[in-house]
């Protein structure tokens, strides 16, 4: 179950939602990682997630923690709240999560923040600076954004004044 840092409306939905079985992740998802270099970075794969990290800064246990929490987020959002999987899966591609050191030196982009973006493949990806990758409330929040990604109902696209709604519901 999510922790108490989630907005009350989301907690109420989770509490009242029927406990549906988690959907099985597609098998053998490809990895298309715009921001990782397999010669420098390691990837931990679990379900729909590909968690990238530099072995000099992080260990596989960090990536495992991130993937395990995001698997829980997927189960709650897709099975219980009825949100859709991100478009990555329709393209048979894993969702990339980049755990990075904001001080640099790990081979990832400089100037990243904590959040969800769109890569050149038109897929969402997540960036997590050191520390944020261990914050369960942060993983719940940013993970929920992955499943809000379409946000294509009129008035709910993440732009202009409507962006606050997406943030408030995550």
């Amino acid at each position: 179950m999510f922790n108490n840092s989630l907005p009350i409306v989301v907690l109420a939905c989770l509490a009242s939602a029927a406990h549906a079985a988690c959907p099985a992740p597609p098998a053998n998802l490809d990895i298309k990682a715009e921001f990782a270099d397999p010669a420098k970075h390691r990837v931990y794969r679990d379900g729909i997630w590909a968690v990238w990290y530099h072995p000099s800064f992080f260990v596989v246990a960090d990536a495992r923690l991130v993937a395990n929490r995001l698997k829980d987020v997927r189960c709650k959002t897709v099975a219980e709240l009825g949100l859709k999987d991100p478009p990555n899966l329709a393209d048979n591609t894993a969702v990339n999560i980049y755990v990075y050191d904001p001080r640099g030196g790990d081979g990832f982009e400089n100037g990243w923040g904590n959040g969800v973006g769109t890569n050149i493949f038109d897929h969402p990806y997540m960036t997590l600076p050191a520390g944020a990758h261990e914050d369960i409330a942060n993983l719940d929040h940013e993970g929920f954004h992955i499943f809000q990604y379409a946000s294509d109902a009129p008035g709910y696209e993440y732009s202009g004044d409507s962006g606050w709604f997406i943030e408030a519901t995550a």
Side-chain angles (χ1 to χ4, degrees), residues 21-43:
C22 288
N28 303 317
L29 292 172
D30 295 331
I31 294 181
K32 294 180 184 176
E34 177 182 3
F35 303 111
D37 178 351
K40 294 179 187 173
H41 301 112
R42 303 289 180 270
V43 63

Side-chain angles (χ1 to χ4, degrees), residues 55-97:
S56 296
F57 296 87
F58 301 98
V59 296
V60 72
D62 292 306
R64 190 177 300 118
L65 178 121
V66 170
N68 283 337
R69 188 59 186 195
L70 293 176
K71 282 182 0 184
D72 289 345
V73 171
R74 178 175 183 255
C75 187
K76 301 283 190 244
T77 56
V78 174
E80 296 183 15
L81 297 177
L83 275 71
K84 295 178 184 173
D85 272 322
N88 310 49
L89 277 60
D91 290 339
N92 198 48
T93 304
V95 179
N96 291 306
I97 312 297

